[in-house]
Amino acid sequence: KQEVTQIPAALSVPEGENLVLNCSFTDSAIYNLQWFRQDPGKGLTSLLLIQSSQREQTSGRLNASLDKSSGRSTLYIAASQPGDSATYLCAAPSGANSGYALNFGKGTSLLVTP
Amino acid sequence: ETGVTQTPRHLVMGMTNKKSLKCEQHLGHNAMYWYKQSAKKPLELMFVYSLEERVENNSVPSRFSPECPNSSHLFLHLHTLQPEDSALYLCASSQALMGAQYFGPGTRLTVL
């Protein structure tokens, strides 16, 4: 079974800092990997999806990288803002044969202080 | 409405009640999913439907019964639930299996 781990579990930074969230997964035979954001008590917002053939994907101040061989993905947030405060979730499928079955990490809870 | 919607947003039920959760996607997608998010635990996949056919039942107890009447609607029928079933139930959809998944706001379920 695909195991997804996210480090750190929580992070507090002052506004303006660049930061990196880490995600590792045990089964590298994945079709893609997806990053989400979740605000307290709310559903998930899709941030970025990286296909297995890609090394990185960018959207605004967000950049996600994928290294399948090492089983790692990172989410880079540039010039953080208080509105970025949320829980960030990494999700990897259960290997090549069940690519739709997402396995989630426990998330990194981010607090950006003004 | 756009995206993925879920109703009700909050539900409190007793262990002997029968209730249903509803999910509707307005994205023209062909696959729909139910997930459970319990406190302090990662999201867990429950069911997957593709073109209205169930393709995954992730060892979910029979007190949870999904229904997908068409590609835009997904239901989760609940009966004889336990207090440990209290959680946030999230619905998602994707264009096809293995595509990017888009989530609804969830239903916060409390079982007394």
Side-chain angles (χ1 to χ4, degrees):
Chain A
K1 184 182 184 296
Q2 179 76 277
E3 301 286 343
V4 179
T5 303
Q6 291 188 247
I7 295 173
L11 183 61
S12 180
V13 300
E15 182 177 7
E17 276 205 7
N18 302 323
L19 52 100
V20 175
L21 308 182
N22 296 292
C23 171
S24 62
F25 47 94
T26 54
D27 186 348
S28 62
I30 59 172
Y31 190 78
N32 55 39
L33 183 140
Q34 202 165 354
W35 282 92
F36 296 89
R37 165 186 173 142
Q38 186 174 31
D39 292 284
K42 302 290 181 64
L44 276 64
T45 300
S46 179
L47 297 174
L48 290 163
L49 179 137
I50 312 175
Q51 301 290 353
S52 60
S53 58
Q54 297 175 313
R55 295 296 298 272
E56 62 179 58
Q57 191 71 256
T58 298
S59 176
R61 294 183 292 108
L62 305 179
N63 175 278
S65 67
L66 175 64
D67 184 345
K68 282 180 57 178
S69 61
S70 66
R72 294 181 183 177
S73 177
T74 60
L75 180 67
Y76 176 84
I77 303 177
S80 58
Q81 302 171 357
D84 295 330
S85 299
T87 297
Y88 290 80
L89 297 166
C90 168
S94 296
N97 293 328
S98 298
Y100 50 80
L102 290 182
N103 298 273
F104 285 81
K106 291 186 177 181
T108 294
S109 178
L110 173 65
L111 176 65
V112 181
T113 56
Chain B
E1 294 242 40
T2 59
V4 181
T5 58
Q6 291 187 242
T7 54
R9 296 294 308 278
H10 300 271
L11 178 62
V12 179
M13 59 187 290
M15 290 191 285
T16 58
N17 291 160
K18 289 185 179 181
K19 297 286 184 182
S20 295
L21 309 185
K22 179 183 177 183
C23 175
E24 184 173 2
Q25 58 94 3
H26 309 267
L27 300 168
H29 288 169
N30 293 318
M32 297 188 76
Y33 312 76
W34 279 117
Y35 288 87
K36 175 183 178 182
Q37 188 176 33
S38 305
K40 308 296 183 183
K41 293 176 67 175
L43 272 86
E44 303 170 79
L45 179 68
M46 299 177 72
F47 300 104
V48 181
Y49 278 82
S50 176
L51 298 171
E52 299 128 55
E53 293 212 6
R54 193 191 308 180
V55 297
E56 181 90 18
N57 176 347
N58 201 21
S59 303
V60 180
S62 60
R63 58 185 183 270
F64 295 91
S65 176
E67 178 189 3
C68 188
N70 54 63
S71 60
S72 298
H73 294 86
L74 185 66
F75 294 89
L76 188 63
H77 303 299
L78 316 171
H79 66 97
T80 324
L81 294 192
Q82 306 297 312
E84 59 265 29
D85 296 322
S86 298
L88 181 67
Y89 288 84
L90 292 160
C91 172
S93 71
S94 61
Q95 176 62 47
L97 291 176
M98 301 195 214
Q101 294 186 22
Y102 295 87
F103 283 74
T107 294
R108 174 68 63 186
L109 174 67
T110 302
V111 181
L112 302 177

